[in-house]
Amino acid sequence: MKPLIVANWKMNPKTLKEAKTIFSFLERGIKTIKKAGIVLCPPFLYIPSFNPKNSNLALGAQDCFFENEGAFTGEISPFQLKDLKCRYVILGHSERRKHLKEGSEIINEKVKKALEAGLAPILCIGESLEQREGNKTIEVLKEQIKQSLKGISKKKLKKLIIAYEPVWAIGTGNPCPVSEAQSMGLLVKKTLSDSYGKALSEEIKILYGGSVDSENAFFYIKEALFDGLLVGGASLDPKEFLKIVRSVC
Ligand code: PGA
């Protein structure tokens, strides 16, 4: 399976001009890359300006609302994203859990609607430093998976992607030790397998995210056997991002 490398630009860059420059650089670099799938998740506003010509490059969003249309000021529907050629949507990112107080119930609704619209949700899960230090990681991850997928039928879950992103590793330059990440990746697989069966759990891609760079990317894919990576800060530097992609091909 080709690794899936997802670029999460978060609320960056500040101007459309800069965004277009990064995008063109990426698009040129990606031409020679065949052995990885790349997903670019820019801020909503920039999505209509990008029209990837390479089939290895897909568009995604960083969030969506849990209704298809209606009186929901400021929100973006999964159908609107689909209409603008998005194929993926990041949901439950820890920055939204923290700054917008998004909880599992809302995330669960969003996952349902994203799947209904035909998007592949990239569901982010991960423990805080406090939870890790209190030996609560396993419990937290299992609970986040259970709550976020509540009421979703097995056959709808084929498109699901889970990103294990320890909160303490995000944007800190302090990535999760590879062996620890591997154990958590296996725990996610086992939790899925226990609930939905081995066959389906093998179809669901599991990504690692948290301070990924071109020095450590290789180990998460080749040693810890993740199916891909969710890259934040390093994805805004197109040279570094392409280095990451090349290192795992
Ligand atoms: P980071 O962010 O690579 O900057 O740690 C990852 C993420 O938040 O998805």
Side-chain angles (χ1 to χ4, degrees):
M1 217 184 344
K2 280 193 208 174
L4 188 72
I5 315 298
V6 183
N8 175 12
W9 281 4
K10 310 192 180 186
M11 203 173 69
N12 298 298
K14 267 201 264 190
T15 65
L16 178 60
K17 193 166 170 240
E18 286 171 86
K20 283 184 173 171
T21 308
I22 303 175
F23 180 77
S24 318
F25 195 101
L26 268 185
E27 212 170 34
R28 272 197 309 276
I30 280 165
K31 275 189 193 144
T32 55
I33 296 172
K34 301 271 179 289
K35 293 193 185 126
I38 295 140
V39 180
L40 174 62
C41 302
F44 289 130
L45 284 170
Y46 300 158
I47 291 171
S49 303
F50 298 151
N51 183 16
K53 288 176 196 71
N54 187 312
S55 60
N56 262 353
L57 178 61
L59 282 177
Q62 298 171 19
D63 183 45
C64 70
F65 196 54
F66 51 78
E67 293 293 347
N68 299 334
E69 61 184 333
F72 303 104
T73 304
E75 293 298 335
I76 306 280
S77 118
F79 278 88
Q80 292 168 333
L81 294 174
K82 184 80 181 168
D83 186 51
L84 291 182
K85 312 264 180 312
C86 281
R87 286 170 45 201
Y88 298 84
V89 60
I90 297 173
L91 294 174
H93 192 282
S94 67
E95 285 151 12
R96 297 194 61 85
R97 292 180 195 256
K98 180 178 169 202
H99 300 296
L100 295 142
K101 309 278 174 282
E102 261 188 30
S104 291
E105 225 171 281
I106 285 185
I107 295 164
N108 176 238
E109 290 304 316
K110 290 184 172 187
V111 173
K112 283 183 189 159
K113 285 290 193 236
L115 286 167
E116 219 177 278
L119 296 170
I122 302 171
L123 170 68
C124 300
I125 59 167
E127 80 286 1
S128 65
L129 184 61
E130 205 185 352
Q131 290 164 334
R132 181 184 187 227
E133 286 173 349
N135 288 323
K136 296 262 187 315
T137 303
I138 294 177
E139 199 182 304
V140 168
L141 298 185
K142 280 187 173 173
E143 203 48 34
Q144 285 178 346
I145 295 173
K146 199 172 125 202
Q147 299 289 337
S148 313
L149 303 181
K150 207 164 157 183
I152 304 177
S153 74
K154 197 170 151 174
K155 68 174 195 297
K156 291 202 177 130
L157 286 178
K158 280 194 180 168
K159 273 196 162 191
L160 177 76
I161 296 166
I162 295 193
Y164 169 57
E165 294 208 302
V167 179
W168 49 270
I170 296 177
T172 57
N174 178 26
C176 185
V178 175
S179 60
E180 189 177 328
Q182 180 170 18
S183 309
M184 296 313 144
L186 289 171
L187 172 85
V188 174
K189 271 260 165 270
K190 169 128 194 355
T191 308
L192 292 170
S193 169
D194 290 348
S195 305
Y196 305 104
K198 193 160 185 283
L200 180 62
S201 77
E202 273 165 9
E203 283 195 51
I204 299 176
K205 287 191 173 66
I206 304 182
L207 317 182
Y208 168 77
S211 296
V212 170
D213 61 23
S214 58
E215 304 276 302
N216 60 32
F218 172 90
F219 300 99
Y220 292 109
I221 301 294
K222 304 289 177 190
E223 269 183 25
L225 304 177
F226 279 91
D227 304 306
L229 302 165
L230 180 48
V231 187
S235 70
L236 285 154
D237 173 350
K239 257 195 196 160
E240 171 70 358
F241 184 69
L242 288 168
K243 243 176 152 182
I244 292 175
V245 176
R246 289 199 186 97
S247 75
V248 301
C249 284

